[in-house]
Amino acid sequence: MDTKIYKIDLEHIDASIMQEAGNLIAEGELVAFPTETVYGLGGDALHPEAARKIYSAKGRPSDNPLIVHIADFADLERVAKEIPKQAKLLADAFWPGPLTMIMQKKESVPYATTGGMDTVAVRMPNHPIALELIRKSGKLIAAPSANTSGRPSPTEAAHVAEDLSGRIAMILDGGPVGIGIESTIIDLTEQVPMVLRPGYITPEMLSEVLGEAVIMDPGIIAADDTTKPKAPGMKYKHYAPKADMIIVDGDKDAVVKEINIRTKKAKQEGRKVAVIATEETQQAYDADIVLCMGKRDDEDSIAKHMYKILRDCDELEVQVIYSESFQTPRIGQAIMNRLLKAAGHKVIHV
Ligand code: TXA
Ligand code: MG
């Protein structure tokens, strides 16, 4: 299949391209599009055949459910059996935005979309192209991240093309995304609202709006793979670069020292090494490649660069990656959740 790639000017969104894209969705085809978090691979959410195409294009296990993207709060009624009162509160506070909510599904939502589950994940993205695509298609759009299963999520259209060219009908290129990590997922079907995937919106922010406690899925906090996370997608080794990756955690100077010792050793063994560093430390490393995530106290920049840097490591064919750790105050948990998975939970504390 020929994949059409269109560059979209965010200031003047081309209505005819958006209509062409919307028609493809309505015909059951797949279109990749930008959201504020990562690029999504969209198909008609209520059409089981579209869901099957999504799983096949990504090479994703079909028991891993898709998020349904909506453009208006009223659309929620089309997929949710009942709308919990918490959903209204959270939507008022965070939609459109990087928050996905899980509720009981209506019969109209095919099991192909929900990976066989009786619940459905819903999100209203905060991106003009995503919202316009949903409206022009006249459908609700099921969309996982637009990467091949197991690769880092795409934060630029070029990443989508790299993974999915020839496998989908169209890619809408809206430039690099704003946030760079996937939405926070909150499960509203539990006694106590539970975060199944940490993201830009923190449990504290959710709890403040709800006026009640919000807990983190114990399967996410677990330092290893012994406790199973509730979101099926969180159990897979995700976001993984091809190289062997190790995170070094601790005091800044000790981390630099440890990484330099290990880098030297790996180089002597003839292995190509990359170090994932920050502006404050990048000069201190003696590796083949030093990749900079941004300033240490600028968490947004770290989130935004992470997946691109992991992809760059693949591109540069490095064999070993040493990464600093990023226990930043607000979204550090979301960042480290991804980075730990990329490293297969290999961490050295110094
Ligand atoms: O930011 C995002 O959420 C992006 C953009 C494109 O919107 N989408 C995204 O989708 O990250 P995906 O498919 O890569 O991740 C969806 C996650 C998976 O871990 C999946 O298991 C979980 O959501 N999920 C979806 N429906 C669920 C359900 N009913 N119950 C539990 N987990 C669910
Ligand atoms: Mg994904």
Side-chain angles (χ1 to χ4, degrees):
M1 172 188 305
D2 241 12
T3 303
K4 283 190 179 171
I5 305 182
Y6 287 124
K7 179 118 193 110
I8 310 281
D9 179 354
L10 288 177
E11 302 299 316
H12 309 275
I13 294 180
D14 187 314
S16 66
I17 294 177
M18 292 310 300
Q19 191 58 61
E20 188 183 337
N23 292 346
L24 284 170
I25 298 276
E27 289 157 13
E29 295 301 329
L30 307 185
V31 175
F33 60 96
T35 80
E36 78 279 35
T37 57
V38 298
Y39 273 75
L41 175 60
D44 180 352
L46 303 186
H47 190 352
E49 193 49 42
R52 278 191 277 276
K53 281 186 187 169
I54 290 175
Y55 289 114
S56 147
K58 275 179 68 83
R60 174 173 177 143
S62 60
D63 66 345
N64 187 3
L66 309 173
I67 295 174
V68 177
H69 293 66
I70 64 175
D72 297 287
F73 187 78
D75 290 339
L76 200 47
E77 282 179 18
R78 293 168 62 184
V79 293
K81 198 169 177 182
E82 267 166 53
I83 300 176
K85 66 174 191 316
Q86 295 129 317
K88 176 87 181 73
L89 290 171
L90 293 175
D92 282 343
F94 301 116
W95 276 1
L99 179 69
T100 296
M101 300 189 227
I102 299 201
M103 305 163 218
Q104 297 301 332
K105 82 170 189 74
K106 257 195 176 154
E107 257 171 51
S108 56
V109 185
Y111 282 115
T113 298
T114 67
M117 298 178 87
D118 288 314
T119 53
V120 61
V122 193
R123 158 165 131 82
M124 191 193 295
N126 186 16
H127 196 291
I129 295 177
L131 294 170
E132 191 60 14
L133 180 65
I134 299 166
R135 296 204 171 107
K136 282 279 198 290
S137 69
K139 304 285 182 187
L140 307 180
I141 297 188
S145 49
N147 51 290
T148 299
S149 192
R151 290 213 74 201
S153 293
T155 55
E156 297 174 10
H159 302 166
V160 181
E162 208 171 275
D163 286 9
L164 300 176
S165 258
R167 309 175 73 90
I168 62 177
M170 187 183 282
I171 300 171
L172 297 171
D173 178 355
V177 299
I179 294 179
I181 52 176
E182 306 86 345
S183 61
T184 304
I185 301 179
I186 185 166
D187 186 348
L188 300 177
T189 68
E190 296 271 352
Q191 198 83 29
V192 179
M194 188 193 270
V195 171
L196 305 189
R197 179 172 72 183
Y200 193 77
I201 294 173
T202 63
E204 292 71 31
M205 291 160 78
L206 295 164
S207 173
E208 198 182 312
V209 168
L210 291 175
E212 63 177 313
V214 169
I215 56 171
M216 184 68 77
D217 179 357
I220 296 299
I221 304 169
D224 49 38
D225 290 336
T226 51
T227 313
K228 229 168 108 189
K230 192 176 174 198
M234 299 298 281
K235 72 174 184 266
Y236 298 106
K237 185 185 173 201
H238 239 97
Y239 322 116
K242 291 171 189 152
D244 196 20
M245 177 166 165
I246 294 162
I247 297 170
V248 182
D249 178 49
D251 176 67
K252 187 180 112 200
D253 295 332
V255 167
V256 169
K257 194 172 159 208
E258 179 70 22
I259 290 181
N260 274 334
I261 291 170
R262 287 176 175 264
T263 298
K264 193 171 170 193
K265 191 158 173 281
K267 278 166 85 173
Q268 278 165 357
E269 291 163 1
R271 306 210 286 165
K272 189 171 176 185
V273 182
V275 173
I276 300 181
T278 47
E279 272 182 29
E280 288 84 345
T281 54
Q282 59 176 337
Q283 302 298 336
Y285 291 110
D286 182 29
D288 301 313
I289 295 152
V290 180
L291 299 160
C292 179
M293 296 272 262
K295 279 209 176 72
R296 187 144 272 281
D297 58 7
D298 182 359
E299 325 184 62
D300 290 354
S301 146
I302 290 170
K304 200 167 167 161
H305 291 123
M306 179 176 55
Y307 284 138
K308 179 177 165 38
I309 283 180
L310 293 177
R311 276 182 183 261
D312 286 347
C313 289
D314 284 351
E315 188 87 352
L316 295 162
E317 299 186 324
V318 304
Q319 289 153 304
V320 192
I321 304 169
Y322 293 114
S323 176
E324 296 180 6
S325 87
F326 302 92
Q327 316 279 2
T328 59
R330 214 180 57 82
I331 52 171
Q333 189 168 32
I335 293 168
M336 288 312 292
N337 170 259
R338 274 71 171 182
L339 219 52
L340 282 163
K341 280 195 181 190
H345 290 272
K346 289 195 287 296
V347 186
I348 295 163
H349 299 279
V350 290

